[in-house]
Amino acid sequence: MREGEQVPEGRQVTGEPDELYERLKAFEGRAAATAGTGKDPVNEPMIRHWCEAMGDTNPAYSGPEAIAPPTMLQAWTMGGLSGHTDRSAAYEELFGLLDGAGYTSVVATDCEQEYLRPLRPGDRITFDAVIESVSERKTTRLGTGYFVTTRMDVRADGVRAGTHRFRILKYTPAAPKRSEPKRSEPKGSESRRTEPRRTGPERAARGEGRSLRPRPVINRDNAGFWQGVAEHRLLIQRCGDCATLRFPWLPGCNACGCQEWDTVEASGEGTVFSHVVMHHPPFPAFGADGAGGPYAVALIELAEGVRMVSNVIGVPYDKVRTGMPVRLEFLRTDPDLELPVFRGGEG
């Protein structure tokens, strides 16, 4: 299974020796954590909270024979707000080398999980982790750095339960692109122009002079959703067997497993279930003024009962509140992209 934000592996930096990479390579195969212990045994309250947050109503996760959702594998090993106390000296040394060389930024790129046996309430979790690989220096859109992959072997009461691979990019952020200086034009050049000068709003409307938002990945499982957006309709999947509504779009029902479905159109009414405010790094494409933040990202609970992640517009970012009523709108961010967003109202 793969989850998490996908960052392209980038292109290899060539043409110059990389002495740091040779030092980093030596850490491959060394322990990242040894004899780690989960802070809590597998338990029903955490399973319930996870399922409520994910909107997962699979009956396998409740009742006297309940198991934990497989995707919770990493949750039982996390250090919490107090942080990790089980990381090895080799792990700390590796990251100290990267930080000292200026690769101080970090972004999680993806993870892979393998499930060997179900986890049940009462299971005690232990784990070991190893530094599995360090890539050569790569250049990505975020900047230049190294991909570091760790592999964690998770055990339940001493029996292997699964494997969790986690990959991050430790990088130096790319310098922002500078706008080209204006060039003076000889007298009379205005008459030779084939296109009139555009004002700032006109350029923004055409998507010129500013960065663009990332493009959604459209595939056979979600193409119908994006077709609905193009028609200014927010479509929710409905199971053809048990009629359970689901979002985001999936090939099968997470309640009964049925692969038959149709859609219902959302009314557009909703409330803010939870939210975060993005301060850094700034992404100019996400700010109406081009400044790139701060801006609010919210988990919206639709009137139909499903939840989706979107932006809240129409109110200052620091006025967004849990429980705030919102209304669906469709926002054109550039000539080739239109997105569903939600307008909030103060008071």
Side-chain angles (χ1 to χ4, degrees), residues 229 232-234 267-269 308 310-311 313-314 326-332 338-344:
V229 170
H232 286 192
R233 302 167 65 215
L234 183 62
S267 67
E269 301 293 339
M308 66 177 291
S310 184
N311 289 125
I313 65 172
V326 291
R327 176 72 185 176
L328 174 68
E329 291 187 7
F330 292 89
L331 175 67
R332 182 166 295 282
E338 195 164 17
L339 296 171
V341 297
F342 290 84
R343 181 171 294 276

Side-chain angles (χ1 to χ4, degrees), residues 11-246:
R11 63 180 185 274
Q12 183 177 337
V13 178
T14 58
E16 55 186 76
D18 187 358
E19 296 180 3
L20 177 61
Y21 172 66
E22 298 304 322
R23 299 175 67 187
L24 299 175
K25 188 77 173 174
F27 284 87
E28 291 186 345
R30 298 179 65 180
T34 304
T37 303
K39 290 194 170 184
D40 298 285
V42 178
N43 61 83
E44 293 178 2
M46 286 182 67
I47 293 173
R48 185 179 70 253
H49 293 324
W50 177 281
C51 289
E52 287 179 356
M54 298 296 176
D56 196 336
T57 58
N58 193 313
Y61 307 143
S62 61
E65 302 297 324
I67 63 172
T71 49
M72 288 188 74
L73 182 67
Q74 186 194 18
W76 311 109
T77 69
M78 299 178 98
L81 295 178
S82 57
H84 290 277
T85 59
D86 45 38
R87 286 174 172 165
S88 69
Y91 184 92
E92 300 293 352
E93 185 180 349
L94 170 64
F95 280 76
L97 279 174
L98 288 164
D99 289 339
Y103 301 99
T104 54
S105 296
V106 62
V107 62
T109 63
D110 61 279
C111 77
E112 302 174 13
Q113 294 183 339
E114 179 184 11
Y115 312 120
L116 302 177
R117 89 168 198 43
L119 298 178
R120 294 180 170 84
D123 284 343
R124 291 278 177 178
I125 301 301
T126 56
F127 57 91
D128 296 300
V130 64
I131 302 166
E132 191 168 65
S133 66
V134 182
S135 77
E136 297 183 6
R137 189 166 70 238
K138 302 288 185 70
T139 294
T140 72
R141 289 186 179 181
L142 292 177
T144 297
Y146 301 84
F147 288 89
V148 179
T149 303
T150 55
R151 187 193 75 243
M152 179 182 292
D153 295 314
V154 180
R155 296 179 296 275
D157 294 329
V159 178
R160 280 192 68 201
T163 300
H164 175 80
R165 282 183 174 84
F166 195 67
R167 185 173 296 110
I168 64 169
L169 173 64
K170 283 283 285 180
Y171 67 101
T172 299
K177 292 183 179 180
R178 295 182 178 180
S179 57
E180 294 184 4
K182 293 182 179 179
R183 292 175 295 185
S184 59
E185 298 179 354
K187 273 188 174 183
S189 60
E190 291 83 354
S191 61
R192 295 195 297 269
R193 287 195 193 105
T194 58
E195 192 173 337
R197 291 185 184 272
R198 297 190 186 97
T199 64
E202 288 172 337
R203 287 171 58 83
R206 292 174 58 94
E208 300 174 3
R210 60 176 296 179
S211 59
L212 303 180
R213 291 198 186 196
R215 282 18 218 170
V217 176
I218 301 177
N219 53 40
R220 63 183 180 181
D221 291 330
N222 65 12
F225 170 77
W226 290 106
Q227 179 60 40
V229 170
E231 299 169 357
H232 286 192
R233 302 167 65 215
L234 183 62
L235 299 179
I236 304 169
Q237 280 182 309
R238 177 173 57 191
C239 176
D241 188 6
C242 68
T244 297
L245 300 181
R246 64 179 184 264

